[in-house]
Amino acid sequence: MRKTISVLGLTVLLLGALDTVVAKTLTWAEENGKLGSLIQYFEYGRSVPGKLARWEDNPEAPGNLYDVAWRSEAVEVSQQAFLNEDASQGPVLRSYGMSFVNNIIRHAVEIDPEITWDAHAGPGAPPNFTYSLFQDDRNARRPGDIAVLGILSSSVPGMAALSNRTWAFEQPAPFTYPIFWPEESGLRRVNPLVNSSEEQRRLTGDPQQSWETQLRQEDYFFSLQAFGLTWLDQSPFARLVRRSLATSNIKRAEASVLAGDYPYEEVLRRMVEEFARVARADGQSPVVMLIQSRNPIDVNVLEVVRSILERDDIPYFATIEHFNP
């Protein structure tokens, strides 16, 4: 027994020494611009607060998503640009989506340069982001405009989240969005307590327990595996373990959402219905863009909302009708 304990103790000691050597090597490599891909591999396992802190300290770092897609800031920019527009230029195509929607419309503009396009997007944005941005940007559209709502199949589980930070562990963009719940009168909107990059920065020096409490209570993807014990970020080995635990938790949460623990189908249908109703009430033409990504377990978003599209005669473009994912 004593021999076993000695062997275990020696093993732990050697692993600790190896972990320290790897940590020092990674620090040296980062400072000297070496081993970029290896450094990134270990960085994937850093806690979400750790990743956000590094982005905050290094604004020019490659892949920094700290300041992207904050709705309040996007709406402010959009409304200022709207005030400077020439109202006589004709209809404007105003899209609310993500890079997939942007890429498709960009090609449309290349084909027909007379299209005037106003883009609003977030990286991998889930439908609750795109729909809420459409809602918040209502004062920056005119009668005659075309409103485009983008829905990405791989981001549907994110409808049960308040931020990409909880369900995109390796690239946890901190921008936030509401969660919507169906009720008799329509959709109930649960707004996040953090809505701008400035509010996010204030969390660093003065942690707001109310925000973490909201994430714990409202966000299906929040986990201590991803957010807790940030001091373990000093250990490369601990980062590898965290990455495994955090991504496994996200997969379980996704499966739970898609199994119906969150009523995503009903919410999607009501989003599409209300999007078209509001656009038409404001004298605009609604178009729904449905992007089906390659993962075979993704929700078929066209099948989910087809009944509403057909019932309300809503124009749409669904990639699955043109390309086999």
Side-chain angles (χ1 to χ4, degrees), residues 96-98 120 122 125-135 149-151:
Y96 303 89
M98 69 300 298
H120 311 78
N128 41 331
F129 171 86
T130 57
Y131 177 66
S132 62
L133 192 53
F134 164 78
Q135 288 182 319
L149 179 69
I151 297 175

Side-chain angles (χ1 to χ4, degrees), residues 7-220:
V7 170
L8 287 175
L10 180 60
T11 300
V12 170
L13 182 64
L14 291 174
L15 285 175
L18 178 61
D19 194 49
T20 301
V21 170
V22 172
K24 290 184 177 299
T25 301
L26 291 174
T27 299
W28 172 85
E30 186 173 17
E31 291 174 348
N32 291 274
K34 309 289 186 181
L35 306 177
S37 59
L38 184 62
I39 291 172
Q40 186 59 51
Y41 178 78
F42 282 96
E43 283 300 311
Y44 284 139
R46 191 177 291 273
S47 68
V48 171
K51 290 188 179 87
L52 298 185
R54 284 173 69 84
W55 280 347
E56 188 173 319
D57 293 339
N58 301 277
E60 303 303 320
N64 190 329
L65 300 177
Y66 194 95
D67 290 305
V68 303
W70 290 96
R71 284 176 304 107
S72 60
E73 297 165 12
V75 169
E76 183 179 349
V77 170
S78 176
Q79 300 210 348
Q80 187 57 51
F82 177 78
L83 294 175
N84 295 328
E85 283 180 0
D86 179 1
S88 66
Q89 66 183 347
V92 177
L93 192 158
R94 305 190 191 274
S95 64
Y96 303 89
M98 69 300 298
S99 60
F100 296 94
V101 169
N102 286 355
N103 289 338
I104 293 171
I105 297 178
R106 186 174 293 111
H107 284 294
V109 173
E110 290 174 358
I111 294 171
D112 185 357
E114 293 188 5
I115 294 174
T116 303
W117 175 32
D118 179 24
H120 311 78
N128 41 331
F129 171 86
T130 57
Y131 177 66
S132 62
L133 192 53
F134 164 78
Q135 288 182 319
D136 298 346
D137 196 47
R138 189 172 184 177
N139 292 332
R141 296 189 297 270
R142 294 186 179 86
D145 286 347
I146 299 112
V148 176
L149 179 69
I151 297 175
L152 175 64
S153 64
S154 60
S155 294
V156 165
M159 294 171 65
L162 288 166
S163 172
N164 277 36
R165 77 185 75 193
T166 61
W167 62 272
F169 177 72
E170 293 179 350
Q171 286 286 94
F175 70 96
T176 61
Y177 30 79
I179 294 175
F180 292 89
W181 290 91
E183 293 186 338
E184 288 187 12
S185 59
L187 288 174
R188 174 170 60 90
R189 174 170 164 160
V190 178
N191 287 309
L193 295 178
V194 174
N195 289 284
S196 70
S197 60
E198 183 58 36
E199 291 178 357
Q200 174 63 35
R201 283 184 172 85
R202 287 202 295 268
L203 294 177
T204 303
D206 182 22
Q208 296 182 13
Q209 293 300 319
S210 55
W211 169 233
E212 183 172 318
T213 297
Q214 186 186 36
L215 287 174
R216 288 173 180 266
Q217 293 177 345
E218 303 285 354
D219 193 307
Y220 273 58

